[in-house]
């Protein structure tokens, strides 16, 4: 058989679709770079110029395509176990019913035969005859063998369940805060995919180890480590899909990122309903991570990170070529690949390496006249929203254990509705999106504060539960809307060189204040209305701060609109 030339139209047929998740880029596309036939190398569309300002990666990837969609769906899955590990405390440590599920063990007390136990089984009054009475706090309990074996039973904390939930959740939130800081600092050293993989394996290990732990301190430590792993996954996943998308598709992806978190909240009650012990719940939320691990070969790295941060120049270019050609093949753009792709990537690498160093934190507060107002407003708004985001979810424990499954699913649906509300406002009311989102938060917070009018009112149980659920879910929808919009559109408030510093500053500040959410849920001991009002007040505060935000482009558009209106009135008068 005569040897066919790879440059001949009949001698080499490109594979339009290939089932292997990792393409042999250099083997399949080497003709693009080595063939010397000018006719064979003639592109179907005009090639890129060698202007160093051109982003060849963005040109080949496009704003959005099948490759980006596949990557986003895989990366978004990490939000589901992150939600499970955060909200698992609702089902691993539910409230217990005194006398029915636990009773005080008075045998260690002297004079137990002449003692009486309080209704909540937490205090014992021992009679010493003529010497009087002595009040003791109960520290040991008898538990019903037929009930769900919870963490409260495991650590013998029947009368301290609320404090245990707050303390355990505090360590989870602290781990999430630390994980975000560490992940940000690791990004110049480790690629987003490496951080993502580290988070997945670490979370799987922490989840399985938690099943084996019987010590209270070790349990809290593992919850903290699991939260760090969750933060690794969430931060790295966002870095990956933010780099491979652009334009309105990137904004939409950021706005809908939390919908998979909400999906995790909806799925968690169904998983917990089949468990007979808290250990079963941890197994159920840990083992599905194997699905994400199975999908890792289809999870790409950030192309620009590979090109910029890989030490060896040739390795960086080869790795980026492989990623870009895989995306171009799946998206159907491989005919757009320029014949000098490695050279253009080399020019882009030089431009990325020559970028100026990150700005100082104080530079965020300088600039246009409203810089200080914007910085204060965005930090306060995001902090308030993150506190309420966790606090309202944990506060549903106050509505009774028998309604916990339905209330948790309602909270997940409310969060999905909030994310899509932010998506609608961003694309249909972009000029006033901050004011719409802020007004929605103010409205939702005010409705939630009406709970005082129904506190202590006698009504049928079905109506009471529905009413309190409505007063909790409406602020939840508003908070999810405001939070999603701030996290997705935060970069619009500052110049491009300030965006990384602003994101780190706002997230760190907000995560610190989010630690207080686990403490605010203790206000339910005073009154259910008191705890709900405290979170609704924060919703109103966040809404007011959000209303103060105006992007520079919107401000210019508003000024032009006012100027046109003024000119129109002037002409009308003339």
């Amino acid at each position: 058989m005569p040897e066919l030339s790879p440059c001949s139209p009949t001698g080499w047929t490109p594979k339009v679709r290939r089932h292997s998740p990792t393409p042999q880029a250099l083997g399949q596309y080497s003709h693009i770079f080595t063939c010397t036939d000018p006719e064979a190398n003639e592109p179907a569309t005009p090639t890129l110029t060698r202007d160093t300002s051109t982003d060849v990666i963005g040109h080949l990837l496009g704003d959005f395509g099948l490759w980006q969609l596949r990557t986003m769906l895989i990366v978004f899955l990490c939000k589901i176990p992150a939600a499970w590990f955060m909200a698992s405390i609702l089902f691993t440590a539910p409230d217990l019913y005194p006398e029915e599920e636990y009773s005080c063990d008075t045998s260690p007390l002297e004079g137990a035969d002449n003692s009486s136990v309080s209704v909540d089984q937490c205090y014992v009054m021992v009679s010493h005859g003529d010497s009087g009475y002595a009040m003791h706090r109960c520290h040991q309990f008898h538990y019903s063998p037929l009930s769900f074996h919870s963490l409260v039973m495991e650590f013998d904390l029947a009368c301290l369940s609320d404090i245990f939930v707050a303390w355990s959740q505090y360590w989870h939130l602290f781990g999430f805060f630390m994980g975000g800081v560490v992940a940000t600092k690791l990004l110049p050293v480790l690629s987003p995919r490496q951080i993502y993989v580290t988070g997945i394996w670490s979370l799987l290990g922490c989840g399985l180890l938690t099943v084996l732990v019987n010590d209270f301190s070790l349990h809290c430590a593992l919850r903290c480590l699991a939260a760090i792993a969750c933060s690794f996954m969430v931060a790295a996943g966002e870095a990956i899909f933010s780099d491979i998308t652009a334009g309105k598709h990137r904004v939409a992806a950021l706005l809908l990122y939390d919908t998979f978190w909400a999906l995790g909240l909806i799925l968690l009650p169904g998983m917990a309903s089949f468990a007979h012990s808290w250990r079963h719940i941890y197994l159920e939320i840990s083992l599905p991570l194997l699905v994400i691990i199975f999908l890792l070969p289809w999870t790409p790295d950030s192309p620009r990170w590979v090109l910029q941060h890989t030490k060896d120049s040739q390795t960086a270019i080869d790795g980026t070529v492989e990623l870009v050609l895989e995306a171009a093949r799946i998206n159907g753009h491989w005919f757009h690949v320029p014949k000098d792709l490695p050279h253009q990537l080399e020019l882009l690498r030089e431009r990325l390496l020559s970028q100026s160093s990150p700005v100082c934190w104080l530079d965020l507060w300088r600039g246009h006249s409203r810089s200080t107002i914007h910085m204060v407003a965005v930090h306060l708004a995001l902090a308030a929203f993150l506190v309420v985001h966790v606090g309202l979810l944990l506060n549903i424990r106050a509505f009774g254990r028998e309604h916990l499954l339905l209330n948790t699913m309602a909270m997940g649906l409310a969060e999905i509705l909030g994310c899509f509300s932010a998506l609608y406002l961003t694309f249909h009311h972009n000029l006033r999106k901050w004011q719409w989102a802020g007004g929605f938060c103010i409205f939702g917070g005010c409705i939630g504060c009406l709970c005082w009018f129904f506190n202590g009112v006698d009504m049928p149980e079905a109506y009471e539960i529905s009413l309190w659920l409505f007063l909790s879910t409406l602020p939840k929808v508003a908070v999810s809307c405001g939070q999603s919009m701030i996290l997705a559109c935060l970069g619009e408030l500052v110049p491009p060189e300030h965006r990384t510093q602003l994101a780190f500053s706002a997230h760190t500040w907000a995560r610190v204040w989010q630690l207080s959410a686990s403490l605010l849920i203790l206000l339910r001991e005073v009154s259910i209305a008191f705890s709900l009002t405290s979170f609704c007040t924060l919703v109103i505060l966040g809404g007011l701060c959000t209303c103060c935000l105006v992007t520079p482009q919107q401000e210019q558009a508003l000024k032009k609109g006012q100027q046109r209106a003024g000119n129109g009135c002037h002409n009308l008068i003339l």
Side-chain angles (χ1 to χ4, degrees):
M1 177 184 291
E3 183 178 359
L4 298 177
S5 171
C7 298
S8 172
T10 60
W12 190 90
T13 302
K15 297 180 180 180
V16 178
R17 180 171 181 82
R18 216 166 59 84
H19 298 288
S20 174
T22 304
Q24 300 173 356
L26 298 180
Q28 286 194 7
Y29 297 97
S30 59
H31 72 286
I32 297 177
F33 312 125
T34 58
C35 184
T36 57
D37 187 356
E39 295 182 359
N41 276 327
E42 190 67 26
T45 58
T47 57
L48 299 175
T49 63
R50 299 193 180 186
D51 184 6
T52 57
S53 63
T54 302
D55 185 1
V56 63
I57 295 178
H59 175 80
L60 293 179
L61 296 183
D63 289 355
F64 195 75
L66 290 177
W67 183 72
Q68 286 93 331
L69 178 61
R70 185 189 71 179
T71 302
M72 282 174 49
L73 292 177
I74 295 174
V75 169
F76 277 28
L77 290 177
C78 74
K79 278 280 191 173
I80 296 179
W84 287 345
F85 276 84
M86 191 279 292
S88 62
I89 195 68
L90 292 173
F91 300 95
T92 57
D95 290 332
L96 300 180
Y97 300 125
E99 297 185 355
E100 297 180 17
E101 294 181 322
Y102 73 94
S103 59
C104 180
D105 182 9
T106 59
S107 59
L109 301 176
E110 296 181 1
D113 296 336
N114 298 323
S115 63
S116 60
V117 184
S118 61
V119 177
D120 60 0
Q121 300 293 313
C122 294
Y123 296 94
V124 181
M125 181 176 292
V126 181
S127 175
H128 296 285
D130 297 336
S131 301
Y133 297 88
M135 182 72 73
H136 299 277
R137 188 177 184 88
C138 190
H139 297 285
Q140 296 181 11
F141 303 89
H142 295 295
Y143 298 100
S144 171
L146 300 178
S147 59
F148 174 83
H149 186 70
S150 66
L151 284 169
V152 175
M153 298 179 180
E154 184 72 34
F155 302 125
D156 212 16
L157 299 170
C159 291
L160 299 173
S161 60
D162 288 338
I163 297 178
F164 165 70
V165 169
W167 184 244
S168 177
Q169 199 65 21
Y170 174 87
W171 284 106
H172 179 87
L173 297 176
F174 179 77
F176 215 86
F177 156 67
M178 290 299 300
V181 175
V182 174
T184 303
K185 297 303 180 182
L186 285 177
L187 271 178
V189 181
L190 299 177
S191 71
R193 190 180 186 276
Q194 290 173 327
I195 297 176
Y196 182 79
V197 173
T198 302
I200 292 174
W201 283 106
S202 301
L203 185 59
L204 179 61
C206 290
L208 297 178
L209 283 176
T210 306
V211 178
L212 306 175
V213 166
N214 296 321
D215 183 73
F216 175 74
S217 300
L218 285 178
H219 175 80
C220 293
L222 286 174
R223 284 213 72 194
C224 181
L225 293 176
I228 293 176
C230 290
S231 188
F232 274 24
M233 291 193 309
V234 172
E238 182 177 340
I240 291 174
F241 73 76
S242 296
D243 187 51
I244 63 177
T245 55
K248 63 180 182 181
H249 301 93
R250 178 188 297 168
V251 176
L254 291 170
L255 288 169
L256 299 180
Y257 196 24
D258 277 338
T259 55
F260 276 66
W261 176 287
L263 181 61
L265 295 181
I266 296 174
L267 296 176
L268 182 59
M271 300 169 63
S273 61
F274 297 101
H276 301 286
S277 170
W278 67 270
R279 300 180 191 273
H280 298 162
I281 293 180
Y282 266 94
L283 280 176
E284 290 175 349
I285 65 177
S286 299
L287 294 180
L289 287 166
L290 296 175
V291 176
I292 302 180
I293 293 174
F294 173 77
L295 295 173
L296 284 179
W298 290 272
T299 307
D301 213 331
S302 168
R304 291 177 181 83
W305 190 98
V306 173
L307 185 63
Q308 180 180 5
H309 292 91
T310 304
K311 293 183 179 180
D312 183 66
S313 178
Q314 188 59 42
T315 304
I317 294 176
D318 291 344
T320 308
V321 166
E322 184 174 348
L323 288 171
V324 169
L325 292 182
E326 165 73 351
R329 180 184 67 83
I330 295 178
N331 289 342
H333 297 163
W334 74 275
F335 287 104
H336 300 173
V337 177
K339 54 187 176 183
D340 59 343
L341 177 61
H343 178 67
Q344 294 199 32
L345 290 175
E346 183 179 359
L347 296 178
L348 180 59
R349 172 180 166 86
E350 293 175 358
R351 183 164 62 87
L352 293 174
L353 292 176
S354 64
Q355 288 180 347
S356 58
S357 57
V359 297
C360 176
W361 180 76
L362 293 177
D363 293 337
L364 297 175
W365 304 80
R366 303 166 185 156
H368 58 85
S369 58
R370 302 187 61 178
S371 295
T372 302
I373 298 177
H374 283 175
M375 290 302 104
V376 172
V378 75
H379 281 75
L380 290 179
L382 188 58
F385 290 155
L386 288 186
V387 171
V388 179
H389 178 256
V390 176
L392 278 179
L393 177 63
L394 297 178
N395 196 56
I396 62 175
R397 295 178 71 248
F399 303 150
R401 193 180 78 183
E402 60 275 9
H403 306 288
L404 189 59
L405 298 179
L406 179 61
N407 291 343
T408 305
M409 297 176 66
M411 284 292 175
L413 292 174
E415 188 153 350
I416 291 178
L417 183 58
C419 292
F420 278 97
S421 299
L423 183 70
Y424 173 80
L425 293 177
T426 301
F427 289 107
H428 292 83
H429 299 279
N430 187 52
L431 204 61
R432 293 283 189 179
K433 61 182 177 183
W434 299 112
Q435 288 68 39
W436 277 103
F440 187 22
C441 291
I442 295 173
F443 174 75
C446 291
I447 294 297
C449 290
L450 296 178
C451 62
W452 284 104
F453 293 99
F454 307 99
N455 189 33
V457 177
D458 292 332
M459 62 179 70
E461 184 181 8
Y463 294 157
E464 183 180 8
I465 295 300
S466 301
L467 177 62
W468 284 95
L469 183 60
F470 171 76
L471 295 176
S472 299
T473 52
L474 185 60
K476 182 66 173 176
V477 174
V479 164
S480 298
C481 176
Q483 175 184 302
S484 299
M485 186 175 293
I486 289 181
L487 294 178
C489 306
L490 190 64
E492 298 179 4
L493 302 174
V494 292
E497 61 273 12
H498 292 183
R499 290 173 182 173
T500 302
Q501 188 70 8
L502 174 59
F504 179 74
S505 175
H507 280 78
T508 304
W509 167 267
R511 294 294 181 191
V512 170
W513 283 101
Q514 192 180 30
L515 299 177
S516 64
S518 60
L519 304 178
L520 289 177
I521 61 175
L522 294 176
L523 295 176
R524 61 171 282 197
E525 297 292 337
V526 180
S527 171
I528 299 177
F530 191 40
S531 61
L532 180 58
T533 303
S534 64
F535 291 118
C536 291
T537 303
L538 290 176
V539 176
I540 296 174
L541 174 62
L544 292 173
C545 294
T546 305
C547 289
C548 298
L549 300 177
V550 179
T551 59
Q553 295 84 353
Q554 293 172 350
E555 190 173 6
Q556 294 176 2
L558 289 174
K559 288 181 178 179
K560 290 181 179 179
Q562 293 174 357
Q563 186 176 4
R564 292 194 190 100
N567 292 338
C569 293
H570 179 69
N571 294 333
L572 183 61
I573 294 174
L574 292 178

